[in-house]
Amino acid sequence: MPHTASARLTPATVALLVIPPLMWAGNAVVGRMMQGVLPPITFNLLRWSLALLILLPVAGWVLRPGSPLWPHWRRFALLGLLGVGLYNALQYMALKTSTPLNVTLVASSTPVWMLLLGRLFYGVSVSRRAALGAALSLAGVATVLSRGELAQLQAVQLVPGDGWMLLAALVWAWYSWLLAKPKPGSEPAAIKADWAAFLLAQMAMGVVWSSTMVAVEWSLLPTLPAGQHHIQWGWPLAGALLFVAIGPSLLAYRCWGAGVGRVGPSIASFFTNLTPLFAALMSATLLGDMPRLYHAAGFALIVGGIVVSSRR
């Protein structure tokens, strides 16, 4: 349904827009819980492979010979590399040394990188208000990275996971611009009109990229003593894979698309700021990682920056 300026946030629409950040926060927490159970890039490959199998009966036609996908495979290969392969792999790598709350807060800097990429590569001007909002958001990210201590930031003593997540945010900003500014004729109408086919086309390409990354990951893993394994198979891993394949991969994507279709991206974007809040609640409940004062300060700065840059 096309959105209008007068679109209201009905309870159903609010539910559609709250589910994605809840799922994304859950993805960060589950990713943290799976550290030590299996390598992070392997976890990403298994996640998307399972999601692909679940979606295959619904949109498998897009992978058949003669599908409109194949003349445009380069575009979907790039989308799959960025959105399925790199972004999620970098996030799981970040969770090896960083907390879910830190990861989701750093990810909240994505609008800043979107402004920067838009200005550099798409000629989109940056207003003073947007620049002020970007400065506030960057200050919030710096607050999180420095753990509220300026001396740490000056000494560049950052947790490696924070750096991986910053790179992931930049990758996601690039991916978002590719979605927002497709080249004319680069997306067949039949695929673009079918959310499942559009996602499955990216998944298929992303799984190919992820398989290559996993091969590199396993070549770098240390040799373990006899009786030890890099993957701890069991019900915890099975449950985690089922959740990340259905919740963050399929349910969140579908609900977000439907919610944005009702109220537009400007209003919907504010709901993404719920992700660190949900991550904090889940981390405190499941992992015992209690939020600190600097988390609240960083969250306030990031949200304030996005609000300032989004207001007319």
Side-chain angles (χ1 to χ4, degrees):
M1 179 185 301
H3 64 271
T4 64
S6 60
R8 293 189 306 132
L9 285 173
T10 64
T13 303
V14 170
L16 286 173
L17 293 173
V18 167
I19 288 174
L22 182 62
M23 294 295 102
W24 296 331
N27 180 54
V29 173
V30 170
R32 177 70 171 182
M33 294 171 69
M34 289 298 103
Q35 298 303 318
V37 177
L38 78 171
I41 302 178
T42 301
F43 185 44
N44 185 55
L45 173 62
L46 293 177
R47 164 195 174 176
W48 286 107
S49 297
L50 181 56
L52 188 149
L53 292 176
I54 294 172
L55 202 58
L56 201 59
V58 179
W61 63 267
V62 78
L63 301 180
R64 294 172 185 168
S67 163
L69 164 66
W70 302 118
H72 306 277
W73 68 269
R74 289 180 178 84
R75 163 142 176 102
F76 288 94
L78 181 56
L79 292 175
L81 170 64
L82 298 175
V84 173
L86 278 178
Y87 175 76
N88 294 280
L90 288 170
Q91 183 181 38
Y92 291 138
M93 289 172 63
L95 288 164
K96 290 186 68 175
T97 54
S98 191
T99 66
L101 181 53
N102 263 44
V103 163
T104 52
L105 280 170
V106 173
S108 298
S109 69
T110 300
V112 176
W113 309 119
M114 290 190 67
L115 284 175
L116 180 61
L117 293 181
R119 182 68 183 92
L120 292 176
F121 300 105
Y122 293 92
V124 179
S125 60
V126 179
S127 65
R128 291 182 180 179
R129 186 182 296 274
L132 175 59
L136 287 173
S137 291
L138 284 177
V141 173
T143 300
V144 175
L145 296 183
S146 65
R147 276 51 177 179
E149 297 181 13
L150 185 59
Q152 285 196 22
L153 192 61
Q154 291 174 332
V156 199
Q157 295 178 351
L158 304 179
V159 173
D162 297 334
W164 288 122
M165 199 59 218
L166 274 176
L167 181 58
L170 183 59
V171 166
W172 188 258
W174 183 13
Y175 170 78
S176 300
W177 272 113
L178 288 175
L179 290 180
K181 297 285 187 179
K183 293 181 179 180
S186 64
E187 293 179 355
I191 297 179
K192 191 173 182 178
D194 187 340
W195 74 271
F198 190 75
L199 180 57
L200 185 63
Q202 297 177 64
M203 279 185 188
M205 299 296 181
V207 165
V208 174
W209 286 112
S210 295
S211 299
T212 305
M213 297 176 193
V214 166
V216 175
E217 179 182 49
W218 279 80
S219 69
L220 298 175
L221 289 176
T223 302
L224 296 179
Q228 296 186 17
H229 305 280
H230 288 292
I231 301 180
Q232 308 300 320
W233 297 105
W235 288 113
L237 177 56
L241 285 172
L242 193 62
F243 169 75
V244 296
I246 296 176
S249 304
L250 299 179
L251 181 61
Y253 187 96
R254 181 55 181 149
C255 288
W256 185 253
V260 170
R262 291 189 180 196
V263 300
S266 296
I267 296 176
S269 64
F270 290 103
F271 283 81
T272 62
N273 299 323
L274 292 173
T275 305
L277 176 61
F278 288 145
L281 296 175
M282 291 181 185
S283 296
T285 302
L286 300 175
L287 303 176
D289 293 332
M290 302 303 295
R292 306 292 181 86
L293 183 59
Y294 67 80
H295 286 126
F299 179 70
L301 286 168
I302 291 169
V303 173
I306 295 173
V307 171
V308 166
S309 61
S310 300
R311 292 188 62 186
R312 301 188 176 214

